[in-house]
Amino acid sequence: MKEQPKSRPVPLFVDIPLPEPDPARFFGLEEITDAGELLVRASDLTAAFRAAADRAAAFQAIAAAELTDPRRFDRISFGELADRTGLTEAAAQTLAERGRQLLKGAQPHGLGF
């Protein structure tokens, strides 16, 4: 019996339109009618978004520390960091300091949190 050649996916030359998300819907919470189930699902989403926000804030702090590192020839000032982040200069400096602390405790292939 002759072995069939492996088939490869055919490249698409047309973008397939995706339906636009409905801004009034929020993760299907509107369809949940049981209050207990709604509480559980909404609580899970709240925890997930808090964790995501904490993680994003840590990455923001690390980027701030790297951008303001005095050893960089292209470092930016705390004033410029403040402009980029929408913070006060003092808050930008605090953000960069937090990033330096995170970098000191970072794992080799991740942030360790």
Side-chain angles (χ1 to χ4, degrees):
M1 190 185 257
K2 199 174 191 183
E3 189 174 316
Q4 295 285 0
K6 292 187 178 184
S7 62
R8 288 183 267 165
V10 177
L12 293 176
F13 297 107
V14 181
D15 285 333
I16 298 172
L18 298 173
E20 289 292 319
D22 183 357
R25 294 191 43 173
F26 189 73
F27 292 92
L29 295 179
E30 298 80 7
E31 287 85 29
I32 300 174
T33 57
D34 178 76
E37 184 182 343
L38 180 60
L39 178 64
V40 169
R41 180 70 176 131
S43 297
D44 289 346
L45 284 169
T46 300
F49 284 124
R50 282 186 184 140
D54 290 346
R55 197 110 194 236
F59 279 108
Q60 181 188 35
I62 288 169
E66 290 176 351
L67 288 170
T68 60
D69 187 340
R71 297 173 295 183
R72 286 177 65 125
F73 76 93
D74 61 345
R75 72 180 170 270
I76 63 172
S77 68
F78 294 123
E80 187 175 348
L81 179 63
D83 290 342
R84 289 187 183 190
T85 58
L87 300 171
T88 65
E89 192 168 333
Q93 184 172 359
T94 300
L95 179 67
E97 289 168 1
R98 178 173 179 254
R100 286 187 190 91
Q101 291 171 349
L102 287 170
L103 284 169
K104 285 180 187 175
Q107 302 299 318
H109 193 59
L111 294 175
F113 48 87

